[in-house]
Amino acid sequence: FFGNIVGSVVTDLGMVVGITAFISPISLSIQLALLPTFFLLALVFIVFGVAWKQQKMNYAVATFLILAYIIFLLLAFNNPLLA
């Protein structure tokens, strides 16, 4: 089950970055990737923890994930590296 998810994410990410770099060279910086990487890892651990312990999502977890996404968007759009 998780192999399909991980494989799909890796393939999608590879295709998007590969096609983008093929069309126009892109520059990446570690500072730009820190915020999304932190949020991605934190939310992955939270979702896996909930799935492992509860075997289902409830309204509290769903609300937390939506609020975390909104916080991520606010932080990402206020990041001076993206301006």
Side-chain angles (χ1 to χ4, degrees), residues 1-75:
F1 173 73
F2 291 116
N4 289 337
I5 294 172
V6 172
S8 175
V9 169
V10 168
T11 301
D12 291 346
L13 182 62
M15 293 293 286
V16 168
V17 172
I19 291 171
T20 302
F22 182 74
I23 293 171
S24 174
I26 56 176
S27 63
L28 301 173
S29 72
I30 191 70
Q31 296 166 340
L32 191 60
L34 283 178
L35 178 67
T37 302
F38 169 75
F39 267 86
L40 174 68
L41 289 175
L43 292 178
V44 164
F45 284 123
I46 290 169
V47 169
F48 276 132
V50 168
W52 186 265
K53 186 175 180 182
Q54 296 179 357
Q55 300 291 320
K56 64 178 181 175
M57 294 284 225
N58 57 23
Y59 290 113
V61 175
T63 303
F64 172 78
L65 291 173
I66 291 170
L67 288 174
Y69 183 64
I70 291 170
I71 291 170
F72 166 73
L73 289 176
L74 291 172
L75 290 173

